[in-house]
């Protein structure tokens, strides 16, 4: 008589960080519940952990109770309750999260063969723990500029999710659903994935490389293909801005034609638009990183800190230094 094959079981620890994003957490967890329901048995198990075992408040203000503390998780490492995967759930203000105990625990789990993952901005914490050097990873688009500057050894992409050997990262939001559906598909088959999709009312599993943000055409409400190409060129060249002549050569238009197109489609000159997107990147870096203002200026294509400060003040009605002060006061409130 053939032995009954044991069902696949994969256990998770979801490590909740203060201000974690609820939507990413929920869309990672619920597909596992749905898969268990479809299968008729507990193929997936999970528990929630925090630093001290106390409830953790999400960025939407909801407090979430947990099952274990990191001290308890360390005791489980050598026993039958060791997880197959430890997933960091974080969100806003991740750049100010520095907990050596959490970083050490993540390294211990990884070194014992446990897969590690990050939801939304979780890649930031994995990188701070030293686990993303030369690894492909994904992070929410809003945090990508600061992350790239803080962790240059990580291969970060503006993808929905990335899987690099034993490291799983996703950009948050509903991208967590796509990453978990891929994992379920790897464990079982497409049929189960389709049944889970029907349960959660989604019609497909998106590709890891699908866009995080809306395409430029939809995001900006611009239809002219030449203008869209020019904006893509600008966004790809922020630290070393292209001249209008170089842009004109790329798109086979004259400078005057580009000026006219931007006035019509964007309501401002191409130079002004280029400046605004560079300053937008600078604002993200000021908020998300501890880079000196002069380094932020260089990273965004400004030849001097004084010129950068002047342009920044004209657009945002405050200096880069004041932006930092206001941000710190907001976080301390």
């Amino acid at each position: 008589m053939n032995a009954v094959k044991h069902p696949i079981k994969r256990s998770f620890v979801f490590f909740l960080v203060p201000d974690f994003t609820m939507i990413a957490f929920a869309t990672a967890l619920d597909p596992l519940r749905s898969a268990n329901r479809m299968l008729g048995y507990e193929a997936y198990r999970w528990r929630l952990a925090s630093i001290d075992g106390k409830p953790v408040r999400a960025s939407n203000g909801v407090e979430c109770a947990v099952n274990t503390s990191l001290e308890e998780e360390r005791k489980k490492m050598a026993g039958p309750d060791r997880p197959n995967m430890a997933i960091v759930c974080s969100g806003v203000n991740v750049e100010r999260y520095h907990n050596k105990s959490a970083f050490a625990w993540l390294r211990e789990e990884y070194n014992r063969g446990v897969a590690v993952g990050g939801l939304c901005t979780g890649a930031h914490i994995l990188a701070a723990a030293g686990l993303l050097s030369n690894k492909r990873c994904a992070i929410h688009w809003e945090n990508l500029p600061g992350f790239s500057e803080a962790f240059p050894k990580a291969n970060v992409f503006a993808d929905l999710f990335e899987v690099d050997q034993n490291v799983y990262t996703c950009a948050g939001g509903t991208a967590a659903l796509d990453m978990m559906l891929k994992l379920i598909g790897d464990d079982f088959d497409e049929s189960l994935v389709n049944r889970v999709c029907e349960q959660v009312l989604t019609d497909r599993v998106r590709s890891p490389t699908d866009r995080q943000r809306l395409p430029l055409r939809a995001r900006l409400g611009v239809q002219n293909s030449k203008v869209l190409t020019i904006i893509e060129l600008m966004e790809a060249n922020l630290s070393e801005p292209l001249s209008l002549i170089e842009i004109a050569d790329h798109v086979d238009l004259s400078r005057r034609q580009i000026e006219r197109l931007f006035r019509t489609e964007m309501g401002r000159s191409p130079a002004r638009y280029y400046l605004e997107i560079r300053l937008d990147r600078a604002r993200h870096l000021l908020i998300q990183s501890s880079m000196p203002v002069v380094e932020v200026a260089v990273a965004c294509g400004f030849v001097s800190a004084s010129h950068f400060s002047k342009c920044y003040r004209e657009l945002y009605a405050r200096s880069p230094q004041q932006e930092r002060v206001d941000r710190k006061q907001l976080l301390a409130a």
Side-chain angles (χ1 to χ4, degrees):
M1 189 174 188
N2 292 333
V4 176
K5 185 177 180 181
H6 292 292
I8 294 173
K9 287 189 181 290
R10 196 191 289 252
S11 60
F12 298 82
V13 171
F14 289 91
F15 175 58
L16 305 186
V17 173
D19 290 326
F20 72 94
T21 304
M22 184 64 76
I23 188 172
F25 169 61
T27 53
L29 185 59
D30 229 47
L32 304 178
R33 179 197 63 81
S34 292
N36 286 348
R37 182 182 175 208
M38 297 298 103
L39 291 165
Y41 60 85
E42 192 179 52
Y44 297 109
R45 293 177 181 171
W46 56 85
R47 59 182 179 263
L48 312 184
S50 68
I51 283 288
D52 52 9
K54 295 179 180 178
V56 183
R57 186 184 296 271
S59 59
N60 62 4
V62 174
E63 278 203 345
C64 189
V66 301
N67 308 106
T68 59
S69 66
L70 288 197
E71 183 180 350
E72 292 170 307
E73 284 301 326
R74 283 193 168 90
K75 293 176 182 177
K76 295 177 184 291
M77 279 189 198
D81 289 331
R82 185 180 76 169
N84 299 107
M85 183 179 290
I87 298 181
V88 178
C89 308
S90 60
V92 297
N93 305 324
V94 70
E95 64 279 354
R96 66 174 177 154
Y97 186 83
H98 297 282
N99 190 295
K100 292 182 179 179
S101 178
F103 298 158
W105 169 71
L106 286 166
R107 287 193 295 270
E108 289 169 36
E109 294 282 13
Y110 182 77
N111 290 335
R112 286 176 177 264
V114 174
V116 294
L119 306 181
C120 191
T121 60
H124 197 287
I125 292 174
L126 294 180
L131 296 175
L132 292 186
S133 291
N134 301 314
K135 295 284 188 185
R136 291 179 64 93
C137 61
I139 196 167
H140 192 278
W141 62 265
E142 194 174 39
N143 298 84
L144 200 150
F147 179 89
S148 298
E149 295 292 340
F151 304 106
K153 291 184 179 179
N155 298 323
V156 65
F157 295 88
D159 295 339
L160 292 182
F161 66 91
E162 284 286 345
V163 179
D164 191 336
Q165 298 179 331
N166 230 18
V167 178
Y168 295 70
T169 51
C170 81
T174 56
L177 171 64
D178 299 289
M179 186 173 80
M180 299 309 277
L181 287 173
K182 180 190 184 306
L183 186 149
I184 292 168
D186 290 343
D187 286 347
F188 292 95
D189 54 29
E190 189 177 346
S191 173
L192 178 59
V193 171
N194 289 340
R195 290 163 69 194
V196 173
C197 284
E198 288 178 343
Q199 280 294 309
V200 300
L201 305 183
T202 187
D203 62 350
R204 68 187 179 100
V205 182
R206 292 176 294 178
S207 165
T209 56
D210 276 9
R211 288 174 180 264
Q212 287 186 31
R213 304 181 72 181
L214 289 172
L216 277 175
R217 189 180 300 274
R219 180 156 41 106
L220 300 177
V222 175
Q223 300 301 318
N224 188 288
S225 60
K226 289 287 189 182
V227 172
L228 292 170
T229 299
I230 292 168
I231 293 173
E232 287 174 349
L233 276 172
M234 290 175 174
E235 291 186 346
N237 294 274
L238 297 180
S239 59
E240 296 183 7
L242 301 173
S243 69
L244 192 52
I245 293 175
E246 289 172 313
I247 292 172
D249 288 341
H250 270 96
V251 296
D252 197 27
L253 291 174
S254 70
R255 291 179 58 180
R256 188 167 295 180
Q257 286 173 313
I258 293 174
E259 291 277 359
R260 263 200 312 268
L261 277 174
F262 264 74
R263 292 287 182 190
T264 301
E265 297 285 343
M266 308 305 297
R268 49 197 164 301
S269 71
R272 180 64 188 179
Y273 185 83
Y274 208 168
L275 175 64
E276 288 176 3
I277 61 175
R278 287 160 55 209
L279 289 170
D280 180 66
R281 178 183 174 88
R283 185 169 181 272
H284 279 92
L285 290 176
L286 289 167
I287 289 172
Q288 298 167 12
S289 76
S290 58
M291 291 172 64
V293 170
V294 66
E295 290 185 15
V296 172
V298 171
C300 298
F302 292 89
V303 295
S304 71
S306 59
H307 181 233
F308 167 57
S309 295
K310 178 177 178 292
C311 294
Y312 198 94
R313 186 180 284 105
E314 286 176 354
L315 183 62
Y316 295 115
R318 56 189 175 278
S319 69
Q321 292 84 353
Q322 190 61 46
E323 185 77 74
R324 278 238 164 103
V325 170
D326 291 348
R327 177 66 171 176
K328 287 178 182 177
Q329 290 176 344
L330 179 64
L331 293 177

